Amino acid sequence: MVEIELDGKKVEVTEGSMVMHAADKAGTYIPHFCYHKKLSIAANCRMCLVDVEKAPKPMPACATPVTQGMIVRTKSDKAVKAQQSVMEFLLINHPLDCPICDQGGECQLQDLAVGYGGSSSRYEEEKRVVFHKDVGPLISMEEMSRCIHCTRCVRFGQEVAGIMELGMSHRGEHSEIETFVGGSVDSELSGNMIDICPVGALTSKPFRYSARTWELSRRKSVSPHDSTGANLIVQVKNNRVMRVVPLENEDVNECWIADRDRFSYEALNGPERLTQPMLKQGGQWQQVDWQTALEYVANGLKQIKADHGAHSIGALVSPHSTLEELHLAKLLLQSLGSTNIDHRLRHAEFAAPEGVRWLGTSIASLSNLQRVLVVGSNLRKDHPLFAQRIRQAVRKGAALNALTSAELLADDEAWAMPVASALRVPAQGWVDALAGIAAAVAASTGVAAPVARSTEPGDAAKAIAASLLSGERKAILLGNAAAHHAEAGALLALANWLGAQTGATVGYLTEAANTVGAQLVGALPGEGGLHAGQMLNGALKAALLLNTEPVFDSAAGSAAADALAHAQMVVTLSPFKANLDFSDVLLPIAPFSETPGTFVNAEGRVQSFHAVVKPLGEARPAWKVLRVLANLLGLQGFSFETVSEVQADIGLPAGLLPADRFSNATTARADGERRTDAPAPAVASIYQLDSIVRRAPSLQLTADARAAQEVFA
């Protein structure tokens, strides 16, 4: 530790720290623009100049290392005059457009100009003009004359997103931040550049000119998309979601969110929202009141149960639904006498899991791994914030290895980080390839391999095995495609063997916001119950579809529509006009922004949230719809008046659940007979993951979305 004196106070910081770090520890604010705690130090704005004793001139606090006995003054005349001079230079070319700037009211430059700017300008020459640039549908670079060249956006791309999409060209007053050769900004984390821009140079294109910051109410929420469970601040005006920004949580999402967390809100008030219950009568959709719709559903379920038995009724539920919705859906089916409920819509193997499958470690620990093997995942697109964590580990020297297909990892830089060793084989060959890695580990350790092999492991398998056998903090992570694989059990068995031999944790990245929660509440078929594959193959007479569109959300794809069309009654509970071709009833339910609820993320963190706006039109929270439907059916045990009562019935405490609540164990054998007819795993592209992102216009204009549309066209 090094002790310095800062404004007359003694402060101890670790050796190698900068004066800025000491000031943070002491609670002393030093004005700055280019410094950001998550980015490397650039020291190019010079706003943080401080007075260091015996230094001939003011020194930048962000780039001046502390030394034993250093004396620093942040508020001396020398420091303040230096800061005021820097502010005068920064404002020389800055346009006076605060009244129409989207950053107005939350602008770092605006705030510091009050304290360090002059009351008038001595600059009389013409201000420079920087022409606007079109970099895609998400980020607006219309007013780049505001840019103060802090390079936060450039460093974010290089260090956090892993791809340098912005850079600075030219010199002096001709300097510009641009993409070069007319490129667009296509990173799945690009929206974070808007947050870290200290001025109004980079702003949100969908939000542009739609509200002033002081008009917005700010409410906490949780992302309903991937399994990170990113914490959000949802900003609301006139009962309408206007903007979504990150809520800092170091243990979960740090201070970042993915673009689908940030921009998917556009769908919440889009034209496809379902705002009134609807019945199909004579092939035509008619709007009806809630009583009529629910009585129709209740009478239909009673009749089908009487004619065909409770086993003919089933529910396909989305793992993006809340814990409360999934719990009541399960209770409803059980009370009817059916055990046909499943959330594993994209799976091809449906063996009953031994326990609740999860990440196998904490999210925060991903940043400090030394060895990683990712199996069956497009890591960067499936889990942008997990990829960002692993990218930080790789920057610290971790070795990232991959077993995946060429479609999921086109080259060693496709995940925007170096891949030490990669095995790219078709999905049907993943089990054999993982067995090859296990054989290489077995040969190195002298133990028996879990699968007898007639071929020698290749160089890549040996390199991955050697990597896993070295280092200390290690993880084997199974991705979405591995979970959906027709031989998912064999992959997990081999991963568990590798974990036991190498000391690595084994876990699933898990697909959706509540994949872990769906398992915790038992949204899985009970004894004798039908799994999702059977239900989507025409085995049901009555189907309840909770927050899901099987054509897009299941492995069956378009075949699901044909199968469900043969059911006597299909009831869709959705925020959107979905499943119109084969549904008989549409019940409008509230999306995550309009209902309280709970998600459990990949690491087992239970996170509850409140509604941030009132339900749109006649939409109602799904847990209330299920409760009222159960009451109309005359079922017992559905007297819940509040969501808190449902949460109490589930019995999960808030916060991180202990690891002993989870298990990635499996009874599957690694040496079972290989399936030669196994279909390719069902994997959704980044902006097709759920019904909300599919309906967000700006996200559907991105390069990722266009590429997926071309594939499925």
Side-chain angles (χ1 to χ4, degrees):
M1 300 292 285
V2 174
E3 184 179 82
I4 71 168
E5 182 181 310
L6 184 76
D7 290 339
K9 294 189 294 184
K10 301 292 185 181
V11 184
E12 275 196 355
V13 290
T14 56
E15 189 173 355
S17 298
M18 303 296 161
V19 171
M20 185 72 81
H21 301 142
D24 287 342
K25 186 173 181 179
T28 299
Y29 178 72
I30 298 176
H32 61 272
F33 293 113
C34 68
Y35 172 77
H36 190 282
K37 63 183 178 181
K38 294 290 184 181
L39 303 177
S40 63
I41 292 169
N44 52 6
C45 78
R46 317 309 281 183
M47 190 65 213
C48 64
L49 293 176
V50 293
D51 181 7
V52 178
E53 192 168 276
K54 298 182 180 178
K57 58 183 180 180
M59 304 294 288
C62 68
T64 302
V66 295
T67 58
Q68 184 65 36
M70 175 186 278
I71 298 175
V72 180
R73 301 180 184 88
T74 68
K75 296 177 175 62
S76 67
D77 284 345
K78 184 178 180 181
V80 171
K81 286 179 179 177
Q83 293 161 358
Q84 289 174 339
S85 296
V86 170
M87 178 59 72
E88 183 175 21
F89 277 115
L90 289 174
L91 292 177
I92 277 176
N93 277 305
H94 198 78
L96 301 176
D97 61 352
C98 295
I100 59 104
C101 177
D102 274 340
Q103 195 87 344
E106 54 186 13
C107 175
Q108 217 172 324
L109 182 68
Q110 201 175 52
D111 293 342
L112 293 182
V114 173
Y116 300 91
S119 59
S120 61
S121 174
R122 295 181 288 171
Y123 187 76
E124 296 179 353
E125 290 77 5
E126 290 184 4
K127 292 178 180 278
R128 74 172 193 149
V129 174
V130 180
F131 291 105
H132 69 269
K133 300 161 182 68
D134 185 0
V135 295
L138 305 180
I139 297 178
S140 172
M141 295 180 73
E142 293 291 317
E143 288 90 10
M144 290 305 292
S145 297
R146 299 170 183 161
C147 179
I148 61 170
H149 304 151
C150 69
T151 69
R152 278 185 179 183
C153 56
V154 178
R155 284 174 285 143
F156 172 85
Q158 289 177 293
E159 299 164 17
V160 180
I163 177 170
M164 185 177 174
E165 295 180 297
L166 293 176
M168 183 180 289
S169 63
H170 312 304
R171 301 186 67 180
E173 68 171 336
H174 302 294
S175 298
E176 293 185 31
I177 298 292
E178 57 181 320
T179 58
F180 301 99
V181 295
S184 57
V185 176
D186 298 320
S187 166
E188 62 284 348
L189 298 171
S190 66
N192 293 291
M193 295 179 184
I194 298 167
D195 292 335
I196 62 175
C197 180
V199 296
L202 304 182
T203 55
S204 169
K205 190 171 281 189
F207 176 71
R208 184 174 168 82
Y209 294 154
S210 58
R212 304 315 305 255
T213 71
W214 52 85
E215 299 175 312
L216 302 173
S217 301
R218 289 159 174 80
R219 295 157 192 176
K220 298 177 182 179
S221 191
V222 178
S223 168
H225 304 304
D226 64 36
S227 60
T228 307
N231 291 195
L232 310 176
I233 294 177
V234 181
Q235 300 183 346
V236 176
K237 177 184 177 183
N238 297 333
N239 202 50
R240 184 184 179 99
V241 176
M242 304 298 292
R243 186 166 62 167
V244 176
V245 296
L247 173 63
E248 186 170 351
N249 186 332
E250 278 297 311
D251 293 330
V252 181
N253 56 298
E254 300 176 87
C255 55
W256 317 120
I257 55 174
D259 286 352
R260 62 185 168 202
D261 302 329
R262 183 184 302 273
F263 297 107
S264 63
Y265 74 87
E266 286 187 290
L268 302 177
N269 293 288
E272 291 192 53
R273 276 299 302 271
L274 179 65
T275 58
Q276 184 83 17
M278 299 180 76
L279 291 179
K280 187 182 285 183
Q281 298 175 336
Q284 299 296 315
W285 285 103
Q286 304 291 333
Q287 291 189 349
V288 296
D289 58 59
W290 270 106
Q291 187 71 21
T292 302
L294 289 175
E295 286 181 352
Y296 179 92
V297 175
N299 293 334
L301 291 174
K302 289 177 183 177
Q303 188 64 48
I304 289 170
K305 179 180 177 181
D307 293 345
H308 303 283
H311 190 67
S312 65
I313 302 171
L316 294 161
V317 296
S318 168
H320 298 277
S321 302
T322 67
L323 213 59
E324 296 78 7
E325 294 164 0
L326 295 168
H327 177 63
L328 289 186
K330 178 195 173 185
L331 287 183
L332 177 65
L333 266 290
Q334 282 183 340
S335 300
L336 283 170
S338 173
T339 57
N340 304 330
I341 183 170
D342 209 346
H343 72 279
R344 301 168 298 176
L345 305 180
R346 292 192 174 100
H347 286 228
E349 183 186 82
F350 296 95
E354 292 298 296
V356 175
R357 293 177 175 174
W358 68 304
L359 186 61
T361 186
S362 69
I363 291 175
S365 70
L366 298 179
S367 301
N368 297 308
L369 291 172
Q370 294 178 334
R371 301 291 183 269
V372 190
L373 171 58
V374 176
V375 180
S377 175
N378 184 349
L379 181 63
R380 177 183 165 194
K381 302 300 182 182
D382 292 346
H383 301 280
L385 293 173
F386 289 168
Q388 185 275 134
R389 291 270 191 183
I390 294 172
R391 193 172 293 120
Q392 303 317 307
V394 171
R395 286 173 58 84
K396 297 172 190 173
L400 171 62
N401 306 288
L403 166 55
T404 186
S405 63
E407 291 80 13
L408 300 177
L409 178 60
D411 56 64
D412 287 355
E413 290 295 328
W415 290 351
M417 66 185 104
V419 176
S421 299
L423 267 172
R424 295 183 187 84
V425 295
Q428 291 83 353
W430 287 353
V431 175
D432 286 336
L434 197 57
I437 298 171
V441 169
S444 297
T445 58
V447 301
V451 179
R453 288 177 58 85
S454 58
T455 57
E456 177 75 9
D459 291 342
K462 291 179 180 177
I464 294 172
S467 177
L468 288 175
L469 288 167
S470 62
E472 295 179 359
R473 299 181 296 277
K474 296 172 271 194
I476 299 172
L477 303 173
L478 301 169
N480 295 354
H484 303 160
H485 200 277
E487 297 177 285
L491 288 172
L492 178 57
L494 283 165
N496 283 335
W497 186 91
L498 283 168
Q501 298 302 318
T502 63
T505 62
V506 177
Y508 282 92
L509 293 166
T510 70
E511 176 184 11
N514 219 8
T515 300
V516 174
Q519 298 172 80
L520 282 168
V521 298
L524 293 161
E527 186 176 349
L530 301 175
H531 58 65
Q534 294 166 323
M535 287 189 274
L536 288 167
N537 200 30
L540 297 178
K541 295 296 182 181
L544 299 178
L545 306 180
L546 176 60
N547 207 19
T548 185
E549 299 171 82
V551 171
F552 303 104
D553 294 333
S554 76
S558 58
D562 298 332
L564 290 168
H566 289 91
Q568 288 186 21
M569 184 172 71
V570 177
V571 182
T572 291
L573 295 86
S574 174
F576 303 101
K577 296 172 184 174
N579 306 327
L580 296 175
D581 293 341
F582 51 82
S583 292
D584 299 289
V585 188
L586 299 181
L587 301 179
I589 62 172
F592 80 103
S593 58
E594 300 169 12
T595 180
T598 304
F599 292 137
V600 185
N601 71 0
E603 67 175 351
R605 187 178 297 273
V606 181
Q607 300 185 109
S608 295
F609 53 90
H610 298 288
V612 299
V613 292
K614 295 176 182 177
L616 187 64
E618 290 297 310
R620 294 293 180 266
W623 71 269
K624 286 188 176 181
V625 176
L626 292 166
R627 182 204 66 193
V628 175
L629 179 58
N631 293 335
L632 288 174
L633 287 164
L635 305 177
Q636 300 301 311
F638 288 85
S639 58
F640 308 106
E641 292 295 328
T642 65
V643 75
S644 299
E645 293 179 16
V646 184
Q647 292 167 353
D649 195 55
I650 297 170
L652 286 180
L656 191 63
L657 296 177
D660 59 15
R661 293 292 300 268
F662 308 98
S663 172
N664 290 318
T666 179
T667 56
R669 291 173 58 90
D671 57 352
E673 186 176 344
R674 298 278 72 80
R675 282 190 60 180
T676 57
D677 62 337
V683 180
S685 68
I686 184 170
Y687 299 133
Q688 293 292 321
L689 181 65
D690 59 69
S691 59
I692 298 178
V693 295
R694 282 195 291 269
R695 290 172 171 85
S698 295
L699 291 179
Q700 295 307 315
L701 293 174
T702 60
D704 282 318
R706 293 198 308 272
Q709 290 159 9
E710 291 171 4
V711 169
F712 294 108

